[in-house]
Each structure stands twice: as C-alpha cells, then as structure tokens.
Amino acid sequence: MDQEIRSSAQNGKLESIRLKAISKTFPGVRALNNVFMEMRAGEVISIVGQNGAGKSTLMDVLGGVIQPDSGGIFFDETPVVFASPRDSMQKGVSYIHQELTLFNNLTVAENVMFNEYAVANPLRPLDRSAINRKCAEVLEMIEPSIKPGDLLASLTVGKKQIVEICRAIVSGASVIIFDEPTSSLTLKEKEGLYDLIGRLKRSGYVIIYITHHFEEIFRIADRIYVLRDGENAGEVQVADTNTTELTKLMLGEYAARMFANGDTGPDARLGDDRPALLEVRNLSSTTGLQDIDFTLRKREVLGIWGLLGSGRTELMRALLQIDPLTDGTVQIDTAEGMVPVPREFTTHFGYVPENRREEGLFLDAPILQNTSIGRIRSFANRLGLVNRTTERSKVEKVVKDLGVKLVDIHQRVDNLSGGNQQKVVIARWLIIKPDIIILDDPTKGLDIGAKSDVYRLINELVGEGISVLLVSSDIDEILHLSDRVLVLADKQVSAVLERDQIEKTTLMEHCVGQR
C-alpha cells in the first residue's frame, strides 16, 4: 500500500534536496545566514529552533514565497529557482500549513482536486466523474471513511488535514512540509497523522516536519537540523541525541534559563502569609460554570488546570465579565476593602488571551500602538492630545525590558515571531501595572527559548507585587510555576491544591474525577 500512495500520483522520484548557503536579509534583520541542509527521500527531517530562528523564512524560500539573497536549491543535484509558490508546487513541493488552506463550502473532491479545477480549459466542461474517481482512489488508500462528496465543513480538523495531504499527493508532490501539524488535533488524530507520515516516508517522500514539541520529534523524525539566529546550530541523528542536548543546541548560553526560578519561584515564596486579593464565591455563568469558589492571594501564581472543555478559559472570561454571570460574586481588595470588580476590568486586571492573534493584537498596527493602547489616556493632556514623546519613551522601555526582538517600535506587529507577539501583549499590561494579570495558555505555540522568557517574566511580575492567574495546557508549567492550583472538571472546582500537594498524578486524578 505504501508504494501505491506514491505511484498513484507521482510520476518522478526525487532522491534528494540540498539547500546550499541560503541567506536572506529583511530591512534591519538578517533572517538567514549561509544555511545548509540536505534531505533525502524516505526520511523525516525535523527543523527546530526558537521563534525567530529562521525556520519559517527557510521554508518560505523552499516554498517559493520569498527568494533568497544568495545561495541555491538543488533537486537531485540540479539547481532550481522558485519565483513563486506555483513554481515550487510544480516542482513537487507541498506545504501543509498550521492553518489549513482549504475551502469549507466545497466538497472533499473539490478541495483535493482543486489544482485540476484551477488549470481546466474554460471552454471544455470538467469531467467531474473522473475527478471524483481519482479523488476516491487516493482517499481509499489514505482514509476510506472520507468520501469525495462529503462537505469539508462537516469534517473534523484531523480529517481536514488528511484532505490537504491528499491534495498534495494528487498534485504530484515529492516533498511535503508539515508546519506545527498537531496544534489542533485530538490524541487519536495525532496518532493517525503519525501513522500516515510513516507511510509517506516508506513510500519515498521527503518529509520536513516543523514542531515545538520534542516528543513528536523523537516519535517520528530521523534527523534534526537546529537553527539559531538564522544560522546552522547543529545536525543530529534522533537516535543519537536527547532533549537536553537538543535544548542546548537551540538556546546556546540561554539553556540554563529553562524553568529557572532562582530566588523568586514558588518554593521561595512558600511561608509568605499573603492576604486575599480576589475572592470568587458561587460563580456560575452563561457558559456553564457552576458554583465556582476560590481565593487568589497577593503575590501569588494560582495555576488553573483541567482538561480540554473543563472550563478554564470560560472561568477567566467570567471573572472579567466578558461572559455574563448568572450567579455569584467576584470581589477584589482595594483601599475601600473588598468591592465588586468593575466593568472596566483594566483598572485591576491585565488579560493575555489564549488566541493572541485574534483577541490580543491589532495585527496591521505597529508595536507602538499595540503596546500603548491600554493606557493611552494617561499619555494625553486635557485637550485629549497624546504626548507622543512620553508614549514612545514608555513603550521603548517596556519592550526593551521584555527583550522583544524588533527593528523599531514602528514595525508592524504581524511581522514579529509568535514569541515576540506574545511579549507585546504582555508589555501592554506592564505599562499599566494592574493588580492581577490573567495569562491564558501564554506559551502555546512558543519554542523553548520564548517559553523560558515567559517563565522568567511571571516570576518577576510576582516579585513586583502582581498576582497571576495562570491557565496552561502544559502540566509541567503548572508544576513549576504555581504556588497553588485550582483544578477544574466539567466546569466545576474539583480541588484546590497547595504547593506541597501539586504532583502530576494528583492533578490528573482530580481533573478526571478519580479523587
């Protein structure tokens, strides 16, 4: 069956790709410098590195999205030049993006065979039966439960991903690039993807796999190329390395900062008699939360843990009254004592949402406005005119303190890496210095280096007297950063654990209702 996958759609057989001395410079930023890689048919290559290390830029070169300033691409020792993504695709390169490029209003066959439609002769009717038949042949080999006539919108994310892979196969791809392909998949769908990649590998495809998840790399990859600051930092066989060595290659001298709490971490804060800052009593909401009770102390990181659907994000939105309450109270300590949290929550709260790109940033606006907008009134005079000098000064200081990698503060925020975009969202609240910062999965999609920066920042915030509500899908983050943990199950409180009770087994037992 593995050979059938390849022979059913691919005429030629590519044996190797070489990227030789690839360099690329954008205004003020050297994205790639003399990068070399070699990939062979029938192996899975993983490319790793911090956000901003050059992974996406390199793949954009291979995908024809951008052209290198120097260096070359060689397919089976023959130089190729890609002036556009179409050139790359016609040479057999297919890019499976993290955000799928499919059409929900079309059928599976229309998505899989889209390129056939695109080049059809407008004067000759399409042979839809032949197109459906060809699509059905590929689906039968890859995933028989998907039918050509199924509407794409009716499929799960995992099955939509399979549809995009099928499109790559029927288009005659030799090289398939996977960019963070498991970010929205269930555990079962992940296992199915790993199995499919293994079959594609055995069929002789060149597979390039980009991910921040080390467990996936060690599960499916054969070799790893490490990029750091746009340059080659190492090449290793998966069988000959481990997580520690890979981290060192990625981060260099910054490796020791991973999970580094120093004197400000949760263990150092034990024994501090901290009064209550936030009191939540009998909270219920329109999103299904029921009778939630907890207290957030001053200078504390309260971890919020639970499985998908447990109500973690819903709880954060309810606290801020983004989603209406049906019962209960949320009170915060002020100079006048405990008072209800006002509708304008920014008086006391900062909020870094889970989906930073859609809910946390103005992507087409510069870093300056994205950062200052939370406190723009404080930069204005009585006539409402903004003092741009003061605004710039404040923003420049906070982004420098956070280590945001940028050309200048007038750079559009969508040109930053994911980790630096997250820092900009956090920077907005550091200008305001609220009593409480809510971080909803703040390291989702970030590499180890960017995660380390966020961990350090959390401890610094608490050291400055700010309390943190930390929602995370990463159990290790909860273990390392939390003073206490609120465990949710079925949108109810399952447990509130003190520091000496926080263990992986205990957390999992509470979140599935076994305690």
Side-chain angles (χ1 to χ4, degrees), residues 31 47 49 108 134 164 172 222 263 353 372 394 405 408 427 450 474:
I47 302 175
V108 168
K134 188 174 181 180
E164 185 142 24
D222 298 297
D263 297 328
S372 67
K394 290 282 187 182
K405 293 182 179 179
D408 59 51
D474 187 333

Side-chain angles (χ1 to χ4, degrees), residues 52 224 325 430 438 504:
I224 305 169
L325 303 185
L430 291 188
I438 294 176
K504 281 188 179 181

Side-chain angles (χ1 to χ4, degrees), residues 304-312 472-473 475 478 485-497 503-515:
I304 311 295
W305 171 253
L307 300 179
L308 189 67
S310 63
R312 300 172 308 184
S472 180
S473 301
I475 196 168
I478 295 293
V485 177
L486 175 74
V487 185
L488 294 175
D490 297 324
K491 299 187 178 180
Q492 298 180 19
V493 175
S494 176
V496 179
L497 304 177
E503 297 178 349
K504 281 188 179 181
T505 302
T506 306
L507 288 172
M508 292 307 299
E509 287 176 345
H510 279 294
C511 74
V512 297
Q514 292 183 356
R515 296 286 290 238

Side-chain angles (χ1 to χ4, degrees), residues 77-332:
E77 303 304 321
T78 301
V80 294
V81 177
F82 300 144
S84 69
R86 178 173 289 276
D87 286 351
S88 176
M89 183 182 69
Q90 289 176 341
K91 285 290 187 180
V93 178
S94 183
Y95 202 147
I96 311 296
H97 293 270
Q98 183 176 355
E99 297 176 2
L100 301 178
T101 56
L102 297 170
F103 303 94
N104 277 322
N105 60 323
L106 300 182
T107 67
V108 168
E110 288 167 338
N111 274 281
V112 170
M113 308 301 294
F114 183 78
N115 293 327
E116 298 275 347
Y117 286 89
V119 298
N121 187 335
L123 301 179
R124 187 174 63 193
L126 282 168
D127 188 346
R128 290 183 178 273
S129 61
I131 284 175
N132 285 343
R133 187 168 57 252
K134 188 174 181 180
C135 175
E137 290 174 359
V138 177
L139 288 171
E140 185 64 30
M141 291 183 293
I142 301 298
E143 181 49 70
S145 68
I146 304 175
K147 304 303 179 184
D150 290 345
L151 187 66
L152 192 82
S154 68
L155 303 183
T156 65
V157 174
K159 287 188 175 181
K160 288 179 181 179
Q161 194 170 65
I162 290 173
V163 170
E164 185 142 24
I165 294 169
C166 288
R167 184 163 71 185
I169 291 170
V170 299
S171 67
S174 298
V175 184
I176 303 181
I177 303 168
F178 292 90
D179 186 5
E180 296 288 348
T182 64
S183 60
S184 300
L185 302 188
T186 65
L187 183 60
K188 183 178 180 180
E189 288 171 337
K190 288 180 183 179
E191 292 296 330
L193 178 64
Y194 301 153
D195 176 69
L196 177 53
I197 289 175
R199 292 164 59 197
L200 293 170
K201 169 187 167 180
R202 292 190 296 273
S203 296
Y205 286 86
V206 177
I207 305 295
I208 301 173
Y209 195 90
I210 301 172
T211 182
H212 293 126
H213 301 293
F214 281 7
E215 67 274 13
E216 295 181 14
I217 296 171
F218 287 97
R219 172 75 179 271
I220 66 170
D222 298 297
R223 283 190 297 127
I224 305 169
Y225 279 103
V226 183
L227 291 180
R228 186 170 70 239
D229 297 327
E231 300 181 348
N232 286 99
E235 175 195 353
V236 292
Q237 295 286 338
V238 169
D240 298 332
T241 192
N242 54 48
T243 299
T244 301
E245 294 305 312
L246 200 54
T247 301
K248 289 179 180 178
L249 286 174
M250 287 177 61
L251 304 183
E253 69 272 21
Y254 299 109
R257 289 164 50 193
M258 186 63 175
F259 289 126
N261 292 323
D263 297 328
T264 60
D267 291 328
R269 297 193 291 266
L270 280 174
D272 185 6
D273 186 17
R274 288 157 288 177
L277 174 61
L278 186 74
E279 289 185 349
V280 179
R281 297 290 175 258
N282 305 115
L283 182 149
S284 299
S285 74
T286 56
T287 54
L289 297 170
Q290 300 177 46
D291 298 321
I292 303 292
D293 275 286
F294 72 90
T295 298
L296 174 67
R297 299 167 180 161
K298 293 183 178 180
R299 295 187 65 251
E300 173 182 49
V301 177
L302 179 63
I304 311 295
W305 171 253
L307 300 179
L308 189 67
S310 63
R312 300 172 308 184
T313 295
E314 290 87 341
L315 176 56
M316 300 303 102
R317 291 173 62 88
L319 295 178
L320 303 176
Q321 302 179 65
I322 297 173
D323 295 332
L325 303 185
T326 57
D327 198 6
T329 60
V330 181
Q331 293 190 310
I332 190 164

Side-chain angles (χ1 to χ4, degrees), residues 22 24 26 31-32 54-62 66 95:
I22 301 292
K24 180 65 180 180
F26 298 106
L32 296 171
K55 305 186 299 296
S56 295
T57 303
L58 187 66
M59 291 302 98
D60 282 345
V61 169
L62 184 56
I66 61 176
Y95 202 147

